[in-house]
Amino acid sequence: MTTAAALAPLRQPRVFPFGIRLLMLPAAFVLVAVFVVPMVYFLGQSLDAPAGQRGLSLAHYREVLSDAYYWQLAWNSFTLGAMVTVITLAIAYPAALVMAEARGTKLFAIIAVATFSPLLTSVIIRSYGWLYVLSDRGVVNWFLVTLGILDAPVRLIFNWTGTVIAMVHLEMPFMMFPILSVLLQQPPVLREAAQDLGASSLQTWLRVTLPLSLPGIVAGCQIVFATSISAFASPTILGGGRVRVLPVSIYGSIQGLEWPVGAVQAVMLLALSLILVGVFTRALRTRARFGGGPR
Amino acid sequence: MAERAGSAAPGQAAVDLAGVSRRYGDVDAVADVSLRIEEGEFFSLLGPSGCGKSTTLRMIGGFEVPTSGEIRIRGVAMNSVPPHRRPTNMVFQQLGLFPHLTVFDNVAFGLRLAKVPRAEITRRVARQLEIVNLAGFERRYPDQLSGGQQQRVAIARALTNEPSVLLLDEPLGALDLRLRQKMQIELKEIQRRLNTTFIYVTHDQGEAFAMSDRIGIMNHGRLEQVDTPRAIYHRPATEFVADFVGETNLVRGKVTRRSGDTMIVAALGLEVPLVASSVSPGESVTLSIRPEHVRLSRIQRGAPGMVTIRGATFQGSFIHYALETPSGETISARVIDGDASDNLKPGDGADIQFAVEQVRIMG
């Protein structure tokens, strides 16, 4: 069985020779130097005593966490992350199904290029591009008004709508890739076996394809959620100040030289991210198995 | 499963293929196959890889659609019926066990879809697992089973739906020899007990011979011969069948004269007397001579024999000889270890005889 072969290396604890471990050194060095050290330094700021005092203190936490404004920011970040994740999933999953079906054909290549192209341009350029496309006189509004669907242009920028649209576009490959990879791993014989046993296309999807694609869905959601709650460029450029999320506020705090306040918000963001990643992982591990077994 | 499985009417074939073809581009994967498989029969499709046997099986299961011809199962035309509405179940070559489901849920899969009441599901799954000798494995996942156990889960899963016809696509291919032989016996036993029609695809003639009531030999998309294993072995209808089933020497020859009931055929630089009425002097023929039907007798060392030994291979219970005949052609002979001619060496001469009643004349 493919699964048995895939799982086997995880089950047996393997011992790596010292020489092999040495290969990890460059990666470990980079991680410590450019990630761990600045992170610890920055988070250390959140524990700084208020001006004029010495030592460590939780004063900044007290200040930020007792202020409903920052909780609103956290809620906004969560909402943005959840919206982007759900919409991206809803678009990416069916597209990934089509891609898996079309493996080896031109259609596969076309969808792949369309999905992964956002990665080729800078987020700033892409955001300004969306600004142009979604503006009152942009292509989208022109189209809707010309077709008579709308009487007047609808506001699509400098608000949540524009931000979410741009971010869904940006996050699409990060949702597509993990889902596509689990779908491509599913041997076609599984679906044939389900059909053979009497399952219609919908039943085959529900009972076989979907449960087996859950790991990809969970991985995609984790990546998309974690990256979209920490996104800065899209909410800033397309939100026009109306999309108040933690990263934008952190930037503001630091601009205003309030480093400790920025650091506390960063901790909030990190906590949000970790909680959601944990919830998803747990959901996958204890997921209800279809069927139910003998009773 | 009343809506899936029709019931057998007397005298009706379990499966009837009428002029079935399947084209891919301009290649005929299956060409004009007509075949009638009876209720309760263990039928094998045997042939080399790429001969169209799997495609034929997949057309019966509904995974491929015939380009032309008609497939009927218990008298009902099946061409436009999708796999999930056919009264067939398949044991796939790659098994296709659902890795996220336990053994119980794998076997219960079809019954749940058919909305069978829960108590009956439990009962039928238990019975099926007992048949394949896997009682007690209900809660295991497929990756916690050995190859042979997975195999038996796949068979149980396909059988719980009580199909009119069970299709098996080289299901034992991945197993080692010993396990394969054990499973062959078990499969035949299961088939006999359930009296279900089995259609079994394999490239392994030993497997087909061990289990089948009848065998259909396929080559290049065509059905070459359909008969019992014995008849196929002893009376191969075509050169391909003679060569593919067992080992044989295909020898070109010419009928030179008649002597009573006997035809004398000149072949290999020898004169072979054969009892045959279907040929007449002057005709060119191909003879099929199985190696075990070639008899050697040793002659005095150094004396010129009818044939010269070119190679000798010890193969356990028998010796395989390569013989050079007077015409310069090489044929094989197989001699039981212990026979008087079992220790001939390359370069030795020997006299040769054919068990003429076993020599086949192929057109």
Side-chain angles (χ1 to χ4, degrees), chain B residues 10 26 41 68 156 169 178 203 218 236 244 252 257 259 277 280 348 363:
Chain B
D26 45 357
E41 195 173 17
S68 60
D169 189 2
R178 191 178 284 269
H203 64 271
M218 287 190 75
F244 185 76
R252 313 274 161 210
R257 62 198 156 84
S259 141
S277 50
S280 45
D348 287 354

Side-chain angles (χ1 to χ4, degrees), chain A residues 153-230:
Chain A
V154 68
R155 195 106 181 102
L156 291 172
I157 51 169
F158 302 140
N159 59 14
W160 278 71
T161 315
T163 307
V164 170
I165 291 174
M167 286 183 62
V168 164
H169 177 224
L170 165 67
E171 299 285 1
M172 196 57 68
F174 302 110
M175 186 65 88
M176 272 299 254
F177 186 73
I179 294 176
L180 182 63
S181 102
V182 292
L183 288 178
L184 288 176
Q185 275 170 30
Q186 284 183 31
V189 65
L190 293 181
R191 285 195 330 197
E192 287 191 346
Q195 288 168 32
D196 185 66
L197 294 164
S200 63
S201 306
L202 181 65
Q203 287 168 322
T204 301
W205 179 73
L206 269 175
R207 287 169 183 260
V208 177
T209 312
L210 180 62
L212 288 175
S213 42
L214 279 182
I217 292 175
V218 168
C221 287
Q222 287 178 335
I223 299 170
V224 168
F225 186 83
T227 53
S228 56
I229 61 167
S230 49

Side-chain angles (χ1 to χ4, degrees), chain B residues 301-352:
Chain B
R301 194 162 294 269
M306 293 162 74
V307 294
T308 312
I309 308 292
R310 285 291 169 232
T313 324
F314 176 68
Q315 299 196 330
S317 52
F318 58 86
I319 323 284
H320 182 275
Y321 288 120
L323 309 173
E324 188 181 324
T325 60
S327 65
E329 289 164 84
T330 303
I331 61 169
S332 335
R334 183 182 289 185
V335 169
I336 306 248
D337 190 28
D339 188 271
S341 59
D342 70 0
N343 62 347
L344 292 165
K345 298 280 175 293
D348 287 354
D351 279 349
I352 184 173

